[in-house]
Amino acid sequence: MAHITINQYLQQVYEAIDNHEGTFCAELLSFKHPHVANPRLQLSSPEEKCQQVLEPPYDEMVAAHLRCTYAVSIHDFVEAYKFQTLVVQYLSFIWRRPKLTSPLILQNNYCSWLLYNCCFFLNFELTSFLRALQSHKEENWALPVMFAVTLDLRIFANNAEQQLFKKGKGKQGDMLEKAAEQLMSCFRVCASDNRAGIDDSKKWGMLFLINQLFKIYFKINKLHLCKPLIRAIDSSNLKDDYSMAQRVTYKYYVGRKAMFDSDFKPAEEYLSFSFQHCHRSSQKNKRMILIYLLPVKMLLGHMPTHQLLRKYDLMQFFDVTRAVSEGNLLLLNEALAKHETFFIRCGIFLILEKLKIITYRNLFKRVYQLLNTHQLPLDTFLVALKMMQVEDVDIDEVQCILANLIYMRHIKGYISHQHQKLVVSKQNPFPSIYSDS
């Protein structure tokens, strides 16, 4: 495909469309396919060549795709995004073609459609494609094409936005948000397909689109928009039948959202599923999952091993792990400060801050073990905190910390304000963090 001629490429496109070969057609219109790197196909004006092989409006659709490959080759992602949206709309017209009964009507309608959409295609993006997808009653051969088109649209929207932002034009998140609106419309079409049999249902496209939407929503920091999508999958009878790759991606994002919502048990379940089922050769993806799984497990009382951290190049967590286990607040603060940039970039700094309460628990447990009594003077905890260089701490703050630990069931006991002591249970005064989480 790297050395294929323009005529050979166009002939393959013609045969794929004529035979309704969705997968092959999707490959020929996807930017993951090797043909996009072929200089022979990176044409700024491919219309004449396309007209020689393909009939309208196929020629214009493929011409727009080839112009998109040209734009990418010169790193003009704004133009690439525009031509990609045009490809989608040409495709839409083609899939509505069975409604037109004569060549003359086809040509007239096509000209009217082209004039209208060329003026407004940036606003429509995937709208026309949606109508085409809806018109395919009781069949889903077009889903692979939809996957390719929507994936490329999201990528180009992101690249175009970055390019405009560097030039001081546009607003961060605008193009991605518009792309998300169109992907959401695609999702509604797939989710509402209740007429076709299970094998021919468009519902098989739901999870792919949801994962694309998740990537956008996390990018533009609108996680609240994920909730209805999660409900849709939870109520779907296909949720366990999608491809494992899509399920791993889905669980990864749902797990991250649960983590940000402080739902740590579900977060552990989802992220663990993703890590365990992620392909063993995908070390980069496994590492990315661990970046969020590790803080969740630590908050639930499970500390990662040194071997695991070294295997996935996540030694940034080593001192954090050691500090929490030892109840060493000083080391924890130093570790968070040292790797602050990394933790903030990953969006987990505030989550790791929550480890302080567990570190307090482990520190106070050491105080209990040293004194070996069930009535612990509050002053001893104050001394311990000052040894850890906790600034501006007084006895009132010590009581506040202890009250929180008792409320969270990390300590079994009560504070005797009259005697200024912490009275702990004689049986298991510091319960396992995991069992109470």
Side-chain angles (χ1 to χ4, degrees):
M1 185 62 75
H3 303 289
I4 195 173
T5 66
I6 181 67
N7 287 334
Q8 290 173 325
Y9 169 76
L10 293 174
Q11 186 62 35
Q12 289 184 0
V13 173
Y14 173 82
E15 292 175 0
I17 294 173
D18 192 51
N19 296 328
H20 285 186
E21 297 177 2
T23 301
F24 189 40
C25 186
E27 290 177 355
L28 295 172
L29 296 173
S30 169
F31 273 78
K32 285 188 173 182
H33 197 260
H35 77 272
V36 299
N38 185 352
R40 297 181 180 182
L41 304 182
Q42 296 168 354
L43 305 175
S44 59
S45 300
E47 288 78 11
E48 184 178 350
K49 289 283 187 182
C50 294
Q51 290 169 3
Q52 293 174 0
V53 179
L54 302 171
E55 297 179 356
Y58 300 116
D59 56 341
E60 296 289 349
M61 179 191 73
V62 177
H65 172 69
L66 295 176
R67 292 186 71 176
C68 190
T69 63
Y70 173 77
V72 171
S73 72
I74 60 174
H75 304 288
D76 189 343
F77 294 109
V78 176
E79 284 299 302
Y81 174 73
K82 293 178 181 178
F83 285 121
Q84 181 63 21
T85 57
L86 198 55
V87 169
V88 172
Q89 295 192 344
Y90 282 128
L91 182 60
S92 163
F93 180 80
I94 290 170
W95 283 341
R96 288 203 301 270
R97 191 180 70 164
K99 298 179 181 179
L100 307 173
T101 55
S102 73
L104 182 59
I105 294 176
L106 171 61
Q107 189 67 33
N108 289 340
N109 276 271
Y110 167 65
C111 291
S112 300
W113 172 86
L114 181 59
L115 178 63
Y116 181 78
N117 282 282
C118 280
C119 295
F120 299 100
F121 70 90
L122 277 177
N123 292 326
F124 285 153
E125 296 184 354
L126 287 175
T127 303
S128 297
F129 176 78
L130 293 174
R131 294 171 185 164
L133 195 62
Q134 274 180 312
S135 70
H136 285 241
K137 303 297 182 183
E138 301 182 17
E139 60 181 31
N140 63 2
W141 73 268
L143 284 181
V145 183
M146 185 192 72
F147 296 160
V149 166
T150 52
L151 174 62
D152 289 339
L153 184 65
R154 178 184 64 81
I155 293 173
F156 286 139
N158 184 57
N159 292 340
E161 188 172 90
Q162 291 180 7
Q163 199 167 62
L164 286 173
F165 189 74
K166 288 179 181 178
K167 295 179 180 179
K169 301 178 181 179
K171 184 180 178 182
Q172 197 78 12
D174 275 357
M175 297 187 82
L176 280 171
E177 195 164 349
K178 290 177 182 178
E181 291 173 2
Q182 302 306 323
L183 291 176
M184 190 64 197
S185 298
C186 288
F187 169 77
R188 292 191 189 100
V189 172
C190 293
S192 62
D193 184 17
N194 297 316
R195 296 180 56 180
I198 191 65
D199 292 336
D200 299 318
S201 175
K202 298 182 184 69
K203 289 186 177 182
W204 289 108
M206 288 172 57
L207 196 59
F208 177 90
L209 291 169
I210 285 177
N211 288 337
Q212 297 304 310
L213 285 164
F214 280 169
K215 291 177 182 180
I216 293 177
Y217 292 154
F218 273 79
K219 181 85 172 177
I220 63 178
N221 197 27
K222 292 196 174 182
L223 303 190
H224 64 281
L225 297 176
C226 298
K227 194 170 183 179
L229 302 178
I230 295 172
R231 285 201 303 263
I233 292 299
D234 286 343
S235 62
S236 172
N237 57 0
L238 299 178
K239 62 183 177 182
D240 296 325
D241 297 321
Y242 290 105
S243 72
M244 183 56 70
Q246 291 299 325
R247 290 165 62 195
V248 165
T249 302
Y250 174 77
K251 299 277 190 179
Y252 165 71
Y253 282 106
V254 175
R256 284 182 61 185
K257 184 182 183 303
M259 181 191 73
F260 292 133
D261 292 339
S262 297
D263 294 331
F264 298 120
K265 286 294 289 183
E268 181 191 29
E269 178 185 344
Y270 293 130
L271 291 169
S272 294
F273 178 95
S274 290
F275 183 75
Q276 292 165 6
H277 293 87
C278 185
H279 198 278
R280 66 179 64 181
S281 65
S282 302
Q283 291 292 100
K284 182 179 178 181
N285 288 345
K286 280 182 168 287
R287 181 180 186 271
M288 189 164 56
I289 296 168
L290 277 177
I291 287 174
Y292 303 98
L293 179 57
L294 291 178
V296 169
K297 280 191 167 291
M298 291 167 71
L299 283 165
L300 294 176
H302 293 295
M303 301 298 151
T305 64
H306 182 272
Q307 181 183 5
L308 179 71
L309 297 177
R310 185 166 295 281
K311 177 179 179 180
Y312 290 99
D313 190 24
L314 288 172
M315 293 303 292
Q316 296 92 334
F317 289 94
F318 177 71
D319 284 339
V320 175
T321 300
R322 188 159 64 92
V324 174
S325 299
E326 296 174 358
N328 191 333
L329 275 169
L330 178 59
L331 180 59
L332 177 62
N333 289 328
E334 290 175 348
L336 291 177
K338 181 179 179 181
H339 303 291
E340 181 179 9
T341 302
F342 172 78
F343 293 142
I344 290 177
R345 187 173 69 247
C346 295
I348 57 173
F349 184 81
L350 295 179
I351 301 295
L352 292 173
E353 282 271 319
K354 295 184 178 183
L355 289 170
K356 285 186 177 180
I357 194 66
I358 299 177
T359 312
Y360 283 130
R361 179 257 189 200
N362 291 341
L363 174 63
F364 293 168
K365 183 179 180 180
R366 293 179 66 187
V367 172
Y368 160 75
Q369 290 171 337
L370 286 172
L371 296 180
N372 194 26
T373 177
H374 299 289
Q375 297 184 16
L376 306 165
L378 297 184
D379 287 340
T380 59
F381 299 114
L382 182 60
V383 171
L385 289 174
K386 288 185 175 180
M387 288 179 62
M388 293 296 165
Q389 298 182 15
V390 178
E391 298 178 356
D392 301 325
V393 63
D394 55 23
I395 202 68
D396 290 334
E397 189 167 349
V398 169
Q399 293 186 46
C400 183
I401 295 171
L402 288 170
N404 280 327
L405 288 169
I406 292 170
Y407 173 77
M408 298 173 70
R409 296 189 296 177
H410 291 332
I411 295 178
K412 291 169 65 176
Y414 64 91
I415 299 173
S416 173
H417 296 284
Q418 181 179 358
H419 298 95
Q420 290 290 288
K421 289 185 178 181
L422 171 69
V423 182
V424 297
S425 171
K426 293 184 179 181
Q427 294 183 348
N428 195 21
F430 291 83
S432 168
I433 296 172
Y434 183 73
S435 64
D436 291 332
S437 300

